[in-house]
Amino acid sequence: MINDTHPLTDGVHMRPAVIGDAESFAETLTRSRDYMRRWDPVRPDAFFTSEGQVQRLTGLLAERDAGRAMPWVLADGDDRVVGAMTLASIERGPFRNARLGYWIDVDHAGKGLATAAVSRVCELARDALGLHRVAAGTVLDNVASQRVLVKCGFELYGTAPRYLHINGAWQDHRMFQRILHDGPPQG
């Protein structure tokens, strides 16, 4: 289930990320660079190359193999990257928690794709990973992402001052969580 391909919307599917996605990631991230700048850390030019994406994906896949992350690609009908979803900092034991990060290509933003993908990731976090909670944070002015989270059942639980270094400065973030179930930890 976690490694399956999941149809989302308008010919877009979600599947696990692979190293072979590096070139497509580089193209999409380059195209969306100016659009996403206000919500992203400052990134070196090398990040936007195929080699930079191989390096990033290698790290993400090592985290996946260690059970600490799950990166997915959102891809169009030609299997080109149009976004990404990542559960990171996966914790087991009594916490059963992960942090959700995501982005959507500038050409696909505002079309319901993020909502469909966040909903699916939460289902997989609950059903396939047995997580109890998924957390996410947004910079204060990322209202579109906040709307996605609320539509997907997340609740605002606070504001974290100077939480992440985004767009060249330490930015306050609105913190959201979604409780996936109240059963005891499994596995």
Side-chain angles (χ1 to χ4, degrees):
M1 182 190 304
I2 198 88
N3 291 317
D4 294 341
T5 295
H6 304 274
L8 295 174
T9 62
D10 299 329
V12 175
H13 60 275
M14 183 175 85
R15 61 166 175 76
V18 296
I19 291 292
D21 293 320
E23 184 176 340
S24 188
F25 263 114
E27 291 169 3
T28 301
L29 288 166
T30 297
R31 182 177 54 253
S32 298
R33 188 175 188 175
D34 289 338
Y35 168 71
M36 294 192 307
R37 184 179 318 269
R38 59 190 162 161
W39 304 304
D40 272 354
V42 173
R43 307 221 192 253
D45 289 339
F47 177 85
F48 298 92
T49 66
S50 293
E51 296 80 17
Q53 289 306 301
V54 166
Q55 184 177 24
R56 184 183 72 82
L57 286 165
T58 298
L60 268 175
L61 296 178
E63 286 293 294
R64 180 203 61 203
D65 293 345
R68 293 186 297 259
M70 186 60 214
W72 288 279
V73 167
L74 307 182
D76 66 14
D78 294 322
D79 210 33
R80 290 180 303 228
V81 173
V82 298
M85 296 276 150
T86 302
L87 286 176
S89 302
I90 296 173
E91 292 189 49
R92 305 295 182 176
F95 195 26
R96 310 300 287 193
N97 182 77
R99 286 184 301 117
L100 173 64
Y102 59 92
W103 59 268
I104 303 296
D105 173 54
V106 62
D107 295 335
H108 288 80
K111 298 178 181 176
L113 181 56
T115 301
V118 169
S119 291
R120 187 67 185 133
V121 166
C122 287
E123 290 171 13
L124 292 168
R126 180 191 64 223
D127 299 340
L129 298 174
L131 297 181
H132 166 70
R133 176 182 180 268
V134 173
T138 72
V139 293
L140 299 182
D141 67 347
N142 192 347
V143 176
S145 191
Q146 293 163 20
R147 278 194 304 259
V148 166
L149 293 170
V150 170
K151 278 191 232 176
C152 293
F154 283 74
E155 60 185 342
L156 177 67
Y157 70 91
T159 301
R162 298 177 301 283
Y163 184 67
L164 291 174
H165 200 262
I166 300 293
N167 197 20
W170 290 102
Q171 300 282 337
D172 296 349
H173 277 62
R174 286 204 166 82
M175 305 305 293
F176 293 84
Q177 68 178 2
R178 178 172 168 186
I179 304 301
L180 302 173
H181 68 84
D182 284 325
Q186 301 294 315

